[in-house]
Amino acid sequence: MRLARAMRRKAERSAAVGELQAVKSYAKAKKAVRHATMHEIVMQAAVRRQAVVEIMATIVVAMHRSYGWGMDRLLRLRKKMRVQMECLKGRYVKLEEMEKILKNELDWEFCIEEKDTWETYRKVEYRAARVMSVVFLVALRDEFGFGEKRADRAYHELTDIWTAINAGSLSIEDMWREHDAVGKNARASLVL
């Protein structure tokens, strides 16, 4: 009987140690996954932020090229776009609802489809481009009363710039130089 009790206690201790090790390994794995997830979230936020900055700079260049807009109108556009973005972030409106508004008011549809084979960063860039495109067109419609033809002209110029950047005929640095020149030209005309 003593031997049986001793063997049972020994088995209980080893089971407890095994359970403790299992709990520790689970906690370690959970921490590693949480760390990887946080790292992934931070990287996605950086990719999204970079995409939004580049798209906004391209919008400035496109509006200056297509309509000769200066800093006043560009700042009004930026302010309206910021309001639209806050509505999306605050979940007052969904992206799909904004796209439906564009469909009804401007007879506008985006033809770009997201592919399942894209890696995560490409999907984040696609989402940022989609959001910025919708916000851009809604802001043009709301703030400046753009109709279908004028919005199409502005968006066509925007896509031409991105096509040139992707094709390599225009570098992102050249686009940034043109963006900076828009602000300098507007400031110079204000001084005169």
Side-chain angles (χ1 to χ4, degrees):
M1 187 92 154
R2 284 180 155 182
L3 183 62
R5 273 191 234 146
M7 288 177 61
R8 188 184 64 183
R9 281 193 304 261
K10 185 177 180 182
E12 286 173 354
R13 272 187 252 130
S14 69
V17 168
E19 287 176 9
L20 183 61
Q21 287 176 344
V23 167
K24 285 182 179 177
S25 67
Y26 172 75
K28 188 177 179 180
K30 188 174 179 180
K31 184 179 177 183
V33 167
R34 188 176 330 121
H35 179 71
T37 304
M38 288 303 295
H39 179 71
E40 187 71 22
I41 290 170
V42 169
M43 293 303 291
Q44 287 179 9
V47 168
R48 187 179 309 109
R49 193 171 26 254
Q50 181 68 26
V52 167
V53 166
E54 289 176 354
I55 291 168
M56 194 62 213
T58 309
I59 287 172
V60 167
V61 171
M63 292 310 292
H64 182 71
R65 281 184 184 179
S66 57
Y67 291 103
W69 281 13
M71 287 304 292
D72 291 340
R73 284 188 183 164
L74 291 170
L75 289 174
R76 274 180 53 200
L77 176 65
R78 186 173 137 204
K79 183 178 178 183
K80 187 64 174 183
M81 287 177 69
R82 182 173 285 145
V83 169
Q84 299 291 343
M85 288 295 284
E86 291 299 323
C87 289
L88 280 172
K89 286 180 184 175
R91 297 186 181 176
Y92 301 117
V93 66
K94 293 181 181 177
L95 183 65
E96 291 77 18
E97 293 171 350
M98 290 178 83
E99 288 177 338
K100 192 181 233 183
I101 290 168
L102 288 175
K103 171 91 171 106
N104 293 339
E105 292 184 8
L106 296 177
D107 194 29
W108 192 283
E109 286 189 68
F110 293 100
C111 301
I112 303 170
E113 293 296 323
E114 183 177 359
K115 296 185 175 99
D116 293 331
T117 58
W118 286 350
E119 60 186 34
T120 305
Y121 299 120
R122 180 69 179 113
K123 288 180 181 181
V124 170
E125 287 175 343
Y126 166 78
R127 174 76 177 174
R130 183 175 164 205
V131 167
M132 289 297 290
S133 297
V134 169
V135 166
F136 170 59
L137 291 171
V138 169
L140 285 178
R141 175 75 175 152
D142 288 351
E143 186 68 19
F144 300 101
F146 272 40
E148 182 181 350
K149 289 181 182 179
R150 291 174 64 198
D152 185 50
R153 179 177 164 195
Y155 194 76
H156 185 69
E157 184 65 39
L158 184 65
T159 56
D160 284 348
I161 293 170
W162 276 107
T163 303
I165 290 171
N166 289 333
S169 60
L170 177 68
S171 70
I172 197 80
E173 292 81 18
D174 292 338
M175 190 272 307
W176 276 108
R177 277 193 282 280
E178 190 173 345
H179 171 270
D180 294 341
V182 169
K184 289 177 184 173
N185 290 341
R187 282 186 224 117
S189 65
L190 289 174
V191 173
L192 299 175

